[in-house]
Amino acid sequence: MRLRADDHPGAGGGSSSFVRGVCQAVAMIHEATPEFLQITSREELSPDLRRELIECWVAVTNAGGAAGFPFPPVDFDQVAVVADQIIAGLAPQRSRLLLACVDGTLAGWLNVRRDANPLIAHWGTVHHVQTHTGFRGRGIGAALMHRLSRLACDEMGLEQLHLAARGGVGLEGFYGRLGWKEIGRWPGALRLGPGDDRDEILMVLEL
């Protein structure tokens, strides 16, 4: 929401109308409910949505996000190579993208996969969970994870979800509040730089 010029206290609208406008804008921001879109094949992903997905990944990575590229900065072309590999592997029962959009703009996304091996096909893995930097603090990540648990169970027939998170950035707390349980760690498994080793945190969600 944009405030009109006449809502500004210096434009004759008065300070009270300006404050009301700000409050309305803040309320609209926090009340925004994302719309979800599943992508289950490469044909379903438009060129514009592919571009938004990659741009989101670039922005998140370059802001320090733990989303699959541990050594920022990255650029569009670098990320596109990995994104296109994910897109090429999409299939309804093997790999899906879950996208969250607000007012027609991509606000966040993730990838859920399962292995076709019947020994482990009852559980899936979650990858690249991210919220665009322009939509942080609006519950997009939590909304994505809640929707994911439903589609993984109801549509993919999964019984568990697994993920691995980078230590040292509070991700285990975020996932823990959503019902995930930490089941172990690989101590110092991730070396982000000299003297900066992080645990890889293993988590599970029972569906």
Side-chain angles (χ1 to χ4, degrees):
M1 174 181 177
R2 289 185 177 180
L3 300 182
R4 303 191 309 272
D6 60 1
D7 280 337
H8 192 280
S15 60
S16 61
S17 60
F18 175 71
V19 171
R20 284 196 301 274
V22 170
C23 292
Q24 290 169 359
V26 170
M28 289 180 67
I29 288 172
H30 287 284
E31 290 173 3
T33 301
E35 296 181 357
F36 295 99
L37 177 64
Q38 284 191 62
I39 305 294
T40 62
S41 71
R42 65 188 308 167
E43 292 78 19
E44 296 174 3
L45 192 70
S46 69
D48 286 344
L49 203 48
R50 171 186 174 272
R51 174 186 50 78
E52 283 194 74
L53 184 151
I54 295 169
E55 289 175 347
C56 175
W57 205 348
V58 170
V60 169
T61 299
N62 289 342
F69 288 92
F71 304 111
V74 295
D75 61 29
F76 185 94
D77 291 338
Q78 287 175 275
V79 174
V81 173
V82 180
D84 286 340
Q85 291 173 350
I86 294 171
I87 294 165
L90 295 175
Q93 291 303 312
R94 190 176 65 244
S95 180
R96 300 186 183 203
L97 292 173
L98 179 62
L99 314 179
C101 298
V102 175
D103 296 330
T105 299
L106 182 67
W109 65 276
L110 57 79
N111 176 222
V112 57
R113 307 174 199 165
R114 67 133 49 91
D115 195 303
N117 185 332
L119 185 67
I120 57 174
H122 60 289
W123 55 265
T125 54
V126 185
H127 305 266
H128 311 304
V129 181
Q130 57 193 274
T131 298
H132 194 289
T133 53
F135 290 90
R136 295 276 174 84
R138 297 170 63 174
I140 301 298
L144 271 169
M145 297 305 291
H146 284 304
R147 179 57 63 96
L148 168 65
S149 64
R150 294 199 296 272
L151 80 85
C153 179
D154 297 343
E155 300 183 31
M156 298 180 72
L158 296 173
E159 299 172 23
Q160 290 181 347
L161 290 173
H162 298 185
L163 63 78
R166 181 193 302 176
V169 291
L171 292 175
E172 63 271 40
F174 167 74
Y175 292 118
R177 290 190 292 274
L178 299 174
W180 289 72
K181 295 180 180 179
E182 180 178 333
I183 57 170
R185 296 188 178 215
W186 294 112
L190 308 175
R191 178 157 294 174
L192 302 184
D196 188 10
D197 292 352
R198 308 286 184 91
D199 293 351
E200 186 168 42
I201 304 167
L202 310 177
M203 305 195 76
V204 66
L205 179 71
E206 299 285 349
L207 300 175

